[in-house]
Amino acid sequence: MISLSIQVEPFPIVEPLIVRLQESGTEARSQHDAVLLDIDGHRREYNFQGFSFVVRTPPDECIDGDVLLVLPGQTSAHRLIRASSHHNTLLVTEQCDQLCVMCSQPPKKYHTDLFDQFAVAAALAPQGAMIGISGGEPLLHKTRLFEMITKVAVERPDIRFHVLTNGQHLEPSDVETIFQLGRERILWGVPLYSANRNTHDRIVGKDGAFARLELGLVTLMRAGASVELRTVVLQQNWSDLPDLATFINTRLGFISVWALMQLERIGYGRMNWDSSFQDTSTEFEQIRRAVDIATARGIRTSLYNFPLCSVPPEYRDFAPSTISDWKRKYLEFCTDCGARGTCGGFFQWYSHNEGFAALGPL
Ligand code: SF4
């Protein structure tokens, strides 16, 4: 697994610091750049505004252009942006007002506001980067989030964001702001688990969530936003999927894409695995029907996080490789598979003993 943290030698700061590692040229490209001076085994020394900034990492690891968040007194820095990766996500809060049965990042009570630092980091990302914004629920801090995105948009109009939100906090008064930020700048990833409001509310652990979500989706529609509707496939909503497809066709035709997603075995997803994981390698019929219904009306539909061999051949074009590089793995039987180049494999925390029963090389 690729580490999202990196060892640093103690640096004399009292406030969180954003540093970009620069390994070419002798002049810093910005006040946030640390310019490489020397590599000695695992030790790399940089010049940061006249101070020695030292990182410890394997000699063959590419960290040129990476953007770090260094916290006072800590010897482990967060790699907020990996310049060589397309899978960069800023976890802006761990607070959330839902308690989903499959939550991969169970909520915490406290919040540390690092939006100013995240804005600096995003503005240092490579040209044309798409940066994920995740939580917790980012829109619990809506004003700060919009400020951050607006700031980056002014400084770096080429940067785009993929905001994952439960849609509970979008209101009519947000339409103008979202419209001004622009359809191309933000892809809103919003979860909807069932067209049955009781089932949806049960899955997200919040009474009235479906009704709030409907209002949120109307706000996004009125703002002309790009929406990726996300449905994790679970035992809890398995029989509902075709009805959900019909609901999307008739009520949510404005969305950009509908993503049916396999379960991630971490957090509550791991705790509730036995009662939630739906083995789609042995039974695919509900997904087949849902995809057929949605695509018949022109809804772009995708299968996220599905190993290709768990999907019948005629539906494999719907299943792109979506698991982020830093948390992706392949199993022993993948070694000889002809589809490995296009298959997204498994999450690092997937356990095959409890997982798909009918997989194998293609
Ligand atoms: S054998 Fe492995 S690489 Fe091949 S399709 Fe299945 S999961 Fe993907």
Side-chain angles (χ1 to χ4, degrees):
M1 187 160 89
I2 299 167
S3 178
L4 297 186
S5 62
I6 195 164
Q7 291 302 114
V8 293
E9 289 189 357
F11 199 67
I13 49 171
V14 290
E15 297 285 336
L17 178 71
I18 296 294
V19 178
R20 180 169 62 184
L21 304 175
Q22 182 186 323
E23 301 200 340
S24 59
T26 51
E27 293 294 317
R29 292 201 295 267
S30 77
Q31 58 169 320
H32 301 285
D33 282 284
V35 181
L36 184 66
L37 295 173
D38 185 43
I39 301 181
D40 181 9
H42 281 62
R43 185 178 189 276
R44 294 189 206 192
E45 183 177 13
Y46 299 81
N47 173 12
F48 182 71
Q49 299 180 5
F51 292 90
S52 168
F53 181 74
V54 176
V55 163
R56 292 191 176 276
T57 192
D60 58 348
E61 183 147 17
C62 176
I63 54 174
D64 186 20
D66 282 9
V67 182
L68 311 184
L69 168 66
V70 188
L71 297 171
Q74 294 196 7
T75 54
S76 174
H78 300 272
R79 270 170 103 181
L80 294 183
I81 306 285
R82 287 179 299 125
S84 58
S85 172
H86 296 299
H87 301 280
N88 290 301
T89 295
L90 304 174
L91 194 147
V92 297
T93 185
E94 293 187 85
Q95 293 175 320
C96 191
D97 56 327
Q98 294 192 159
L99 215 51
C100 302
V101 294
M102 83 308 274
C103 179
S104 59
Q105 186 87 35
K108 294 190 179 149
K109 201 168 167 186
Y110 300 105
H111 171 71
T112 305
D113 186 324
L114 291 169
F115 282 102
D116 292 339
Q117 287 78 9
F118 290 139
V120 173
L124 294 169
Q127 190 69 23
M130 164 78 103
I131 299 173
I133 303 286
S134 170
E137 172 47 44
L139 288 182
L140 283 175
H141 304 279
K142 188 166 65 178
T143 305
R144 296 286 287 138
L145 177 71
F146 285 157
E147 280 171 5
M148 181 195 110
I149 295 176
T150 304
K151 191 159 183 268
V152 178
V154 170
E155 227 175 298
R156 289 287 306 274
D158 58 299
I159 300 286
R160 292 171 300 137
F161 294 96
H162 182 202
V163 179
L164 297 182
T165 173
N166 60 25
Q168 299 290 292
H169 306 280
L170 291 162
E171 294 165 290
S173 56
D174 297 321
V175 168
E176 184 58 24
T177 307
I178 296 169
F179 177 76
Q180 291 300 338
L181 286 171
R183 179 178 175 81
E184 301 306 321
R185 184 162 330 276
I186 306 178
L187 175 63
W188 297 87
V190 185
L192 173 62
Y193 298 114
S194 173
N196 180 314
R197 57 189 62 229
N198 294 329
T199 306
H200 177 87
D201 287 2
R202 253 198 318 276
I203 289 172
V204 303
K206 179 178 169 184
D207 289 341
F210 184 95
R212 291 283 323 168
L213 178 55
E214 280 185 307
L215 295 175
L217 287 167
V218 167
T219 295
L220 290 172
M221 182 186 69
R222 288 183 52 214
S226 298
V227 175
E228 173 196 61
L229 201 68
R230 298 160 72 96
T231 304
V232 178
V233 173
L234 301 161
Q235 292 175 33
Q236 290 87 332
N237 63 1
W238 182 241
S239 58
D240 296 354
L241 295 179
D243 284 349
L244 179 55
T246 303
F247 180 84
I248 292 167
N249 280 354
T250 53
R251 305 277 296 275
L252 302 174
F254 70 95
I255 63 168
S256 303
V257 60
W258 181 30
L260 289 148
M261 304 172 63
Q262 253 300 356
L263 182 60
E264 194 170 349
R265 190 179 175 278
I266 193 168
Y268 294 155
R270 177 179 180 149
M271 198 170 84
N272 297 320
W273 183 262
D274 289 345
S275 57
S276 299
F277 173 67
Q278 178 66 43
D279 186 351
T280 47
S281 71
T282 54
E283 204 188 332
F284 196 79
E285 186 53 24
Q286 296 296 83
I287 293 183
R288 185 193 305 273
R289 288 177 57 202
V291 170
D292 289 352
I293 292 167
T295 53
R297 285 288 189 94
I299 300 287
R300 205 178 122 220
T301 305
S302 250
L303 303 175
Y304 289 3
N305 313 336
F306 285 67
L308 271 185
C309 55
S310 72
V311 178
E314 64 275 27
Y315 288 85
R316 285 184 192 145
D317 284 348
F318 291 97
S321 168
T322 47
I323 297 178
S324 302
D325 56 355
W326 65 271
K327 55 180 177 180
R328 182 195 308 150
K329 72 174 178 185
Y330 294 90
L331 301 182
E332 215 176 309
F333 58 76
C334 300
T335 310
D336 301 320
C337 176
R340 183 168 167 151
T342 50
C343 173
F346 305 87
F347 290 103
Q348 281 290 342
W349 23 87
Y350 168 77
S351 166
H352 198 44
N353 297 336
E354 303 165 77
F356 299 97
L359 300 185
L362 299 177

